Amino acid sequence: MSLVVTQKDSFQAMIRLLNTNVNGNVKVMYALTAIKGVGRRYSNIVCKKADVDMSKRAGELTAEELERLVEIIQNPLQYKIPQWFLNRQKDHTTGKYSQLVSNQVHSTLREDLERLKKMRVHRGIRHSGGLRVRGQHTKTTGRRGRTVGVSKKK
């Protein structure tokens, strides 16, 4: 399948959305997944709410369509995207539902881990020690990067 461009001026090979470089040669739904915090299902529902043709490539979108997409990604509850669809449900500090994208994902994760470490919860202690957190066995697996075995006495 080849890429057919109708107007040479309107196509952009690389688009800058939410501090992320988005490939313009990929279809819109899959191109939006390059933004951290936006998956395939979320990008699908955002494209539908923005009335964007999903058969288009990301580089073929107009500035108005891109603005609509960014607005819906940042404010999903105003466009009737259900709360259960969002990636940050019932925030610990505010109690609100929101969709975290790009740099917000990284900073919020760091804040959550710091909160766990400060509370000295089991998960926080495991995170601070660099150990497995989710109940995995650690006796024989996950030894990469650590010293293994017993040194022989001479």
Side-chain angles (χ1 to χ4, degrees):
M1 186 166 111
S2 63
L3 178 63
V4 179
V5 180
T6 54
Q7 295 176 352
K8 208 66 164 160
D9 302 335
S10 65
F11 186 79
Q12 295 176 327
M14 194 65 69
I15 304 167
R16 187 82 173 158
L17 288 178
L18 298 169
N19 295 328
T20 308
N21 292 330
V22 176
N23 188 356
N25 298 321
V26 184
K27 295 211 174 176
V28 179
M29 187 180 114
Y30 297 104
L32 289 178
T33 60
I35 301 169
K36 196 169 177 94
V38 177
R40 288 193 308 236
R41 292 191 66 211
Y42 188 68
S43 66
N44 186 0
I45 199 168
V46 165
C47 289
K48 286 179 181 176
K49 294 282 183 183
D51 293 328
V52 173
D53 184 17
M54 296 223 266
S55 63
K56 274 187 177 181
R57 306 279 170 170
E60 298 171 357
L61 295 177
T62 63
E64 178 189 308
E65 289 173 326
L66 290 173
E67 286 175 21
R68 268 189 298 177
L69 286 172
V70 170
E71 178 66 26
I72 293 172
I73 288 172
Q74 289 179 332
N75 305 313
L77 294 175
Q78 293 177 1
Y79 293 92
K80 297 183 181 170
I81 293 177
Q83 287 183 340
W84 56 265
F85 216 93
L86 306 180
N87 65 5
R88 182 70 173 176
Q89 298 181 8
K90 251 190 169 178
D91 187 29
H92 289 284
T93 54
T94 62
K96 294 183 179 178
Y97 292 77
S98 62
Q99 178 74 15
L100 302 177
V101 285
S102 101
N103 298 335
Q104 297 172 336
V105 175
H106 180 67
S107 62
T108 307
L109 177 64
R110 192 172 2 92
E111 289 169 6
D112 287 345
L113 293 179
E114 288 301 319
R115 183 177 51 81
L116 290 173
K117 290 175 190 175
K118 189 175 180 183
M119 288 171 38
R120 301 296 291 168
V121 184
H122 180 71
R123 273 179 62 200
I125 294 168
R126 303 289 288 187
H127 272 295
S128 62
L131 300 169
R132 300 287 172 102
V133 177
R134 297 186 177 179
Q136 298 96 323
H137 292 268
T138 55
K139 182 176 182 180
T140 57
T141 61
R143 291 182 176 175
R144 270 185 50 202
R146 300 192 185 272
T147 55
V148 181
V150 180
S151 61
K152 205 172 190 181
K153 282 191 177 180
K154 291 185 181 178

